[in-house]
Amino acid sequence: MGQSNSCVHYIDTELHTLRSYYPDFLIELNDGKLYIVEIKGENLIDNASTQAKVQFAKQMYSASDLEYVFIPSKYADMILQ
């Protein structure tokens, strides 16, 4: 399984270096709306690195047609309406 082409650059708050990560999913709805989805385990949600990724992703995608969605893994199997 490969990584998506959607890459988020962020500053690692512990190492103070520029890092990259690739969100888990790109979802396109029938109406053309696009969502970038990241799913994280509950043990990582409060991690400084996770918070940095979320902050940079929200900033990056806020200026585009993509909407960034962060989902704790305990909600990953919910049906979204």
Side-chain angles (χ1 to χ4, degrees):
M1 179 183 300
Q3 293 178 327
S4 71
N5 291 329
S6 183
C7 176
V8 175
H9 300 287
Y10 69 99
I11 304 296
D12 186 304
T13 56
E14 295 172 359
L15 300 175
H16 304 289
T17 57
L18 181 63
R19 305 282 309 260
S20 300
Y21 94 97
Y22 297 84
D24 295 321
F25 300 99
L26 170 62
I27 298 172
E28 181 176 8
L29 300 183
N30 290 336
D31 65 3
K33 180 91 172 141
L34 295 170
Y35 294 88
I36 296 288
V37 179
E38 177 69 17
I39 298 174
K40 262 316 171 210
E42 282 69 25
N43 62 319
L44 298 173
I45 291 174
D46 294 327
N47 181 292
S49 178
T50 298
Q51 291 302 310
K53 291 175 189 178
V54 170
Q55 178 185 2
F56 279 94
K58 284 182 178 181
Q59 288 175 354
M60 184 174 116
Y61 294 120
S62 68
S64 72
D65 291 336
L66 299 168
E67 185 170 334
Y68 180 78
V69 179
F70 180 84
I71 302 173
S73 62
K74 67 181 178 182
Y75 299 116
D77 63 349
M78 291 179 61
I79 297 174
L80 302 176
Q81 304 269 339

